[in-house]
Amino acid sequence: MTTAILFIIAAVPCLYWTQGLETRPAVEAAGIKRLCAPAEQADGWRKAGLTVTTIGESEFGAREALSAPGVSPRPGVASPTRAPWIVASGWRFMRAPTTKYSYSAPAGKAALAAAEAFAYDADAIIKVDPADLPSVGAMMAFFDTLPTEDLPPVADFGVVDDGSAITGEVLNLLARRNLLFHVEKGPSAHYRLNIVIGSAAYPQADAADPSTFAQKVRAQLTDEQRSLRLYGSEVVIARLTSDGKRARVHLINYGGRDIEGLRVRVRGGYSSGDGYVAGTGKVALQDQVVADGAIEFSLPKIGTYAVVDLK
Amino acid sequence: MHRRAFVRLLTAGAWVKAAGLDLLARGKPADPIGAGLQIRSDLPALKIVSRYSPAAVPGMPGPYPGRVIKVKSDKCVDTATNTANDPVVREMMAQGMRALTGAASTEDAWRRFFTPADVVGIKVNCGGYPNCISAYEIVGETVRQLTTVGVPVSQVYVYERFQNQMDECNYSAHLPQGVQSVAAERANRNTDNSGYDPETYLEANLFGEEDTRSSMMRLVSKRLTKIINIPNMKDHGATGATGCLKNIAYGSFSNVARTHQRGKSHTYSVVGTLASIEPVRSRTVLQIMDGIRGVWHGGPFARTTKYVFYPKQILFGTDPVAIDRLLLDIIDNERKAHGAISIWDRNPASLKIDDGRARDADPNVNIIIREPGHVEYAASLGLGVYDLAKIKLQELTV
């Protein structure tokens, strides 16, 4: 396990709201206190007491657009016994952490988009469907309740990014399988494993099947040596940050259904922790076991997003 | 967790892990009753984690290894209406239990297994609803006999993994008030893990899945002291047949559908290995195989009567391997009678991967290469007797 040297302070995504003050009751009812709004609306919202960042439509459009997060059924391919296809952007945030991003979230997706962006400290603006105001407002309020942390991300290996699409898809599949990597410009001495696509060890031809490629990397790491494992779901993606003494686990549930008893294993010398579940608040970790150089625990129930702080 | 308890957990867990790994690595019988078995070597690594120690005489194979009582009755079911005959079933149960134990009375036969202090789970099978599930008459008579020996109804649990299946079958309507009906998950959606014990599990990476654990139901590990297993006589697309071993194993652990997909089944070694994990192995003390009805193709489901048949029998024993060994022939013979390919067929030409519709339409279609050898593998783990020559079958007729 190696902690990456670079990290940024947690950023809270901004909600892009183009509607006027006539929607103030709904915005206030959702508990939203900060907005991104076009210039013609910004002053009105400021006078209404909100913190507003002026964002024009062109500026929103100039940001790198992200797909709405979630799971995507693949008729004729997926089946109930297989892991569904997850649409997630964590790998993009890791690949380009300083890029400015935007989501145009359809109804039902804004809270998940906010959680995803928050978990990865991404500079993201989310265009919100009005139906999502309550859920995304609750998610933003949840972010405010979390203890402040500025821990660096944990990675088990490095991936040298050549900027190609094929490497991007590999990063996508690695992230989706909760294989913790850090994007590097060249092989790093921090890691016992460095993935250089196009090298003899990792030829381009192998990377053409990114799912199999991710399995190859997983086998090289071995599950026992992975800093983080999840059990009880195939639709949760985790991000782990740590300074070696404390750790934060972000758990993003892309499946759209509550998950009960999600099991988490984190390697390291942690002996206790607290859980924070969006929609619930602070929860005790269940069935906690510390053994074999790792801590394991379960969360009673998570919806879209949860955070666990370990010490 | 208290420090001392934690240390004990580590010790026990390490021992069980080591024992499981060693056994599987060597691929050798754990018990002399498994001698002479032919076990494949191309098997995935399976790691058992459990802090439970085996009983002095584990329930499987229990006190009667290799012994099977078959009670037949032409009157046990009206095949025109698919209705079981309750009095006949009761008599079959009574004769079967007395013959198995050698007890003079039915009550004494049940007392060989249960005391009033026991908390008893009845593992039913709801997968074949509506045409072939653990018969209400057998489950009902089982509960009646448990109460006769003094087990309070509040200490009797009828269980399955999925609540939606239990709701369909609705055993409660057929049982005395107070019998508990328990499921671990609302439905087969892989979102409810709270009903499972995260410290008692099988770990295996079979197809590259991320969730590599199958955990035992908390009810089984934390609450029950004894289990009665009531499977059906059914064909199964991944295992060849589903009987005692499959019902108790895949019906007591989470995340098991992952073992068979894309035409390949790891059920060969996983079924028996799950059944061997403590405490399920020690606590499963009685096998009552419901053969009033059966399914010869398309199993484990029976949404239509197309592949339902009527063996008109109940098998009794403590040895799940011996009963399942007989079941393999029962299912295969029924398939042969209908001109269908054998459950042992491994011909790629019969395989239409994941094409459930083709399988349902044509009994000569497999969607996965079946693994009826899972029964022999279970014998290699010491769960019972596989060799037909060593199985002592006693047949009775009501």
Side-chain angles (χ1 to χ4, degrees):
Chain A
M1 175 175 71
T2 306
T3 51
I5 296 168
L6 294 174
F7 62 92
I8 57 177
I9 304 299
V12 176
C14 192
L15 306 182
Y16 187 53
W17 192 246
T18 57
Q19 300 194 45
L21 277 175
E22 70 278 6
T23 60
R24 179 177 173 180
V27 171
E28 288 182 345
I32 292 168
K33 296 180 171 58
R34 177 179 172 238
L35 283 176
C36 288
E40 59 271 27
Q41 308 287 358
D43 279 347
W45 286 111
R46 284 192 189 99
K47 288 173 184 168
L50 277 73
T51 302
V52 179
T53 303
T54 302
I55 297 284
E57 193 66 43
S58 60
E59 187 178 348
F60 181 84
R63 286 173 165 252
E64 186 168 321
L66 300 171
S67 300
V71 291
S72 175
R74 294 188 295 167
V77 179
S79 79
T81 59
R82 296 183 196 167
W85 188 263
I86 299 174
V87 179
S89 294
W91 67 276
R92 298 178 73 166
F93 301 141
M94 287 187 282
R95 186 182 211 185
T98 58
T99 296
K100 297 178 183 298
Y101 296 96
S102 68
Y103 292 92
S104 292
K109 297 294 188 183
L112 178 57
E116 179 180 72
F118 178 80
Y120 288 91
D121 300 321
D123 180 346
I125 296 177
I126 305 166
K127 186 180 281 185
V128 180
D129 187 285
D132 277 2
L133 275 181
S135 59
V136 76
M139 184 63 73
M140 303 293 278
F142 173 70
F143 299 153
D144 291 341
T145 69
L146 293 172
T148 303
E149 281 288 11
D150 57 357
L151 302 169
V154 173
D156 289 330
F157 60 103
V159 180
V160 176
D161 187 10
D162 58 5
S164 68
I166 196 167
T167 299
E169 195 54 21
V170 166
L171 296 174
N172 183 5
L173 268 292
L174 292 170
R176 217 186 290 161
R177 295 187 184 283
N178 286 311
L179 296 163
L180 304 183
F181 61 86
H182 192 257
V183 177
E184 302 284 349
K185 292 179 179 173
S188 168
H190 287 296
Y191 309 110
R192 67 179 172 90
L193 194 63
N194 282 282
I195 311 299
V196 183
I197 293 172
S199 65
Y202 303 100
Q204 287 268 356
D206 285 5
D209 180 351
S211 182
T212 303
F213 189 89
Q215 288 294 344
K216 174 181 173 179
V217 174
R218 176 184 176 185
Q220 290 173 332
L221 284 173
T222 74
D223 281 351
E224 290 71 22
Q225 294 300 313
R226 289 167 61 185
S227 295
L228 180 138
R229 295 293 313 278
L230 301 182
Y231 307 94
S233 176
E234 300 269 356
V235 293
V236 175
I237 294 180
R239 183 174 192 242
L240 175 64
T241 61
S242 171
D243 63 2
K245 296 177 180 175
R246 295 172 299 127
R248 170 165 283 189
V249 186
H250 300 265
L251 299 162
I252 311 158
N253 174 10
Y254 289 85
R257 289 181 173 141
D258 290 349
I259 298 170
E260 294 181 10
L262 181 74
R263 189 80 174 156
V264 182
R265 179 179 195 269
V266 181
R267 289 187 71 217
Y270 311 108
S271 59
S272 64
D274 295 310
Y276 303 90
V277 177
T280 302
K282 190 173 181 178
V283 299
L285 306 184
Q286 297 182 329
D287 297 309
Q288 186 176 306
V289 174
V290 179
D292 302 330
I295 185 171
E296 286 196 14
F297 54 86
S298 302
L299 288 164
K301 181 191 274 191
I302 69 166
T304 299
Y305 180 54
V307 168
V308 177
D309 285 339
L310 300 172
K311 55 190 175 187
Chain B
M1 180 178 293
H2 190 276
R3 173 69 184 164
R4 183 171 295 174
F6 168 54
V7 173
R8 277 204 305 273
L9 182 151
L10 270 182
T11 306
W15 181 85
V16 174
K17 271 194 257 187
L21 285 170
D22 185 49
L23 170 71
L24 293 166
R26 285 183 287 124
K28 290 179 180 175
D31 185 289
I33 64 173
L37 298 169
Q38 296 189 344
I39 301 303
R40 285 178 10 206
S41 59
D42 57 332
L43 303 176
L46 307 177
K47 185 173 86 170
I48 293 171
V49 176
S50 171
R51 57 180 161 175
Y52 295 91
S53 300
V57 179
M60 296 186 286
Y64 308 110
R67 181 162 172 73
V68 181
I69 309 299
K70 175 160 76 173
V71 184
K72 291 204 71 169
S73 174
D74 281 340
K75 300 173 187 170
C76 70
V77 61
D78 180 344
T79 58
T81 63
N82 200 26
T83 305
N85 185 321
D86 198 12
V88 171
V89 170
R90 284 191 184 193
E91 182 58 25
M92 293 168 77
M93 295 274 288
Q95 290 198 25
M97 288 298 291
R98 292 200 298 268
L100 175 65
T101 59
S105 73
T106 304
E107 187 175 326
D108 281 348
W110 285 86
R111 284 193 196 284
R112 300 280 175 95
F113 296 100
F114 305 101
T115 72
D118 276 322
V119 180
V120 183
I122 300 174
K123 175 62 189 70
V124 292
N125 189 296
C126 294
Y129 182 84
N131 292 304
C132 187
I133 63 171
S134 305
Y136 300 119
E137 295 78 8
I138 292 176
V139 177
E141 178 62 5
T142 299
V143 172
R144 198 174 74 85
Q145 292 298 337
L146 288 172
T147 58
T148 298
V149 302
V151 179
V153 289
S154 61
Q155 291 173 205
V156 178
Y157 292 76
V158 176
Y159 80 91
E160 254 286 17
R161 282 182 57 211
F162 306 121
Q163 186 62 52
N164 62 330
Q165 292 187 336
M166 289 289 276
D167 291 344
E168 281 186 326
C169 295
N170 193 18
Y171 282 99
S172 297
H174 302 263
L175 299 173
Q177 194 169 14
V179 173
Q180 315 282 318
S181 180
V182 175
E185 306 177 54
R186 287 184 290 273
N188 190 4
R189 297 192 305 214
N190 199 23
T191 56
D192 305 341
N193 305 287
S194 297
Y196 296 98
D197 178 354
E199 296 175 54
T200 308
Y201 59 86
L202 174 78
E203 182 142 21
N205 179 356
L206 301 172
F207 289 99
E209 65 276 16
E210 267 303 289
D211 185 0
T212 50
R213 290 183 182 174
S214 294
S215 300
M216 190 179 292
M217 278 181 71
R218 282 186 199 269
L219 174 75
V220 173
S221 65
K222 307 279 190 188
R223 179 80 178 113
L224 304 180
T225 61
K226 303 273 175 62
I227 298 170
I228 302 169
N229 190 21
I230 307 183
N232 294 103
M233 289 185 169
K234 293 194 295 184
D235 161 273
H236 193 281
T239 55
T242 170
C244 298
L245 292 161
K246 171 81 166 34
N247 191 51
I248 198 65
Y250 279 42
S252 299
F253 286 84
S254 68
N255 192 29
V256 289
R258 68 191 173 103
T259 66
H260 42 286
Q261 53 185 275
R262 298 172 220 160
K264 183 170 176 59
S265 172
H266 287 292
T267 56
Y268 178 86
S269 57
V270 174
V271 171
T273 302
L274 288 173
S276 75
I277 297 177
E278 294 294 351
V280 77
R281 179 183 179 180
S282 284
R283 293 178 185 172
T284 308
V285 298
L286 182 59
Q287 314 282 340
I288 303 175
M289 179 173 279
D290 173 4
I292 295 173
R293 308 164 182 88
V295 176
W296 61 270
H297 182 72
F301 310 110
R303 286 284 165 189
T304 73
T305 57
K306 184 176 180 182
Y307 299 118
V308 171
F309 71 118
Y310 294 94
K312 297 181 178 177
Q313 60 186 268
I314 306 174
L315 303 182
F316 299 84
T318 59
D319 179 341
V321 174
I323 294 175
D324 281 0
R325 177 63 192 88
L326 300 177
L327 174 68
L328 295 179
D329 287 350
I330 290 168
I331 298 298
D332 214 34
N333 289 338
E334 188 67 19
R335 292 178 63 85
K336 284 176 188 166
H338 291 274
I341 56 173
S342 167
I343 58 173
W344 299 91
D345 184 288
R346 302 182 79 84
N347 186 347
S350 307
L351 188 63
K352 293 187 177 178
I353 294 174
D354 291 348
D355 191 343
R357 286 186 180 175
R359 183 269 316 270
D360 291 345
D362 182 356
N364 287 307
V365 168
N366 281 334
I367 57 171
I368 294 171
I369 298 291
R370 299 158 181 253
E371 297 293 357
H374 76 274
V375 181
E376 186 172 17
Y377 185 84
S380 79
L381 301 178
L383 289 169
V385 176
Y386 182 77
D387 185 349
L388 279 174
K390 295 177 183 172
I391 295 173
K392 298 177 280 291
L393 174 64
Q394 181 182 348
E395 298 191 38
L396 305 170
T397 301
V398 170

